[in-house]
Amino acid sequence: YSVATMDRAGNFSAPSNLALVTVKTLEKLSNGGFEASLANWEFDDFDPGAAGSAVVDTTNPIAGTGSVRLTVSKTTGTAWHLQLRQYFNIRQGLTYTVHLTARASAPVSLPDAIQQTASPYTTYASGAVNLGTAAKTIQFSYVAAVSMAVELEFNFANIGNTTVWLDDI
């Protein structure tokens, strides 16, 4: 790439010297569009008081031929008791960006986290995706503090009777 400046009159400076950047690896989650059903994704319920489902919806997808549809049939009120997640590796010092498109049947806040996959289950990044009935694109970034296996998880035992669709993760 090279850089040039422009003044308020629209005049450009000469471009800087060319700089080359090599990206060693680009890590992506697998099947983030859910075109291959739930391959590479896991759905778990962590409390018998919570029940729900994560299924690929091919009749009302956000994009492509499928989106994952998250529903709750019974809740404990604790968000992480129902999870949709995928594992990946992070490397200390690198910036990771999560990008997704989502919508819900009613306004809802859907918690998300990047968390260690085993005890002590340290959370390295967390937040909530605020959704409405229209599909919207959400993006957030974080810098990895450690190198290890983690999971991107969406916690949805607290969404009540609202249905959430996720796509293009």
Side-chain angles (χ1 to χ4, degrees):
Y1 65 91
S2 66
V3 177
T5 60
M6 181 177 69
D7 65 18
R8 291 183 183 181
N11 301 310
F12 282 93
S13 70
S16 66
N17 293 333
L18 185 63
L20 299 175
V21 176
T22 302
V23 178
K24 294 179 183 174
T25 60
L26 177 63
E27 298 177 37
K28 292 180 73 175
L29 293 180
S30 299
N31 189 33
F34 301 97
E35 306 306 317
S37 192
L38 288 175
N40 301 98
W41 290 92
E42 289 186 11
F43 164 74
D44 278 306
D45 54 346
F46 291 100
D47 187 289
S53 64
V55 298
V56 174
D57 183 347
T58 58
T59 61
N60 193 16
I62 294 173
T65 60
S67 299
V68 69
R69 183 180 67 227
L70 308 175
T71 57
V72 177
S73 54
K74 190 166 74 167
T75 184
T76 61
T78 302
W80 65 267
H81 285 171
L82 294 174
Q83 289 183 6
L84 176 70
R85 66 179 179 270
Q86 188 173 134
Y87 301 103
F88 66 103
N89 293 309
I90 57 173
R91 290 192 303 261
Q92 184 176 14
L94 294 183
T95 300
Y96 290 83
T97 300
V98 177
H99 176 274
L100 65 128
T101 305
R103 73 168 184 264
S105 59
V108 69
S109 181
L110 179 69
D112 58 74
I114 306 286
Q115 180 179 308
Q116 186 178 1
T117 61
S119 184
Y121 301 104
T122 302
T123 300
Y124 295 106
S126 65
V129 177
N130 294 313
L131 303 174
T133 57
K136 76 178 197 178
T137 299
I138 298 120
Q139 182 172 303
F140 56 92
S141 298
Y142 71 99
V143 177
V146 295
S147 295
M148 69 175 7
V150 295
E151 60 192 51
L152 168 63
E153 63 188 49
F154 295 95
N155 301 301
F156 63 98
N158 67 335
I159 65 171
N161 294 327
T162 306
T163 301
V164 170
W165 290 266
L166 304 174
D167 210 338
D168 297 330
I169 302 171

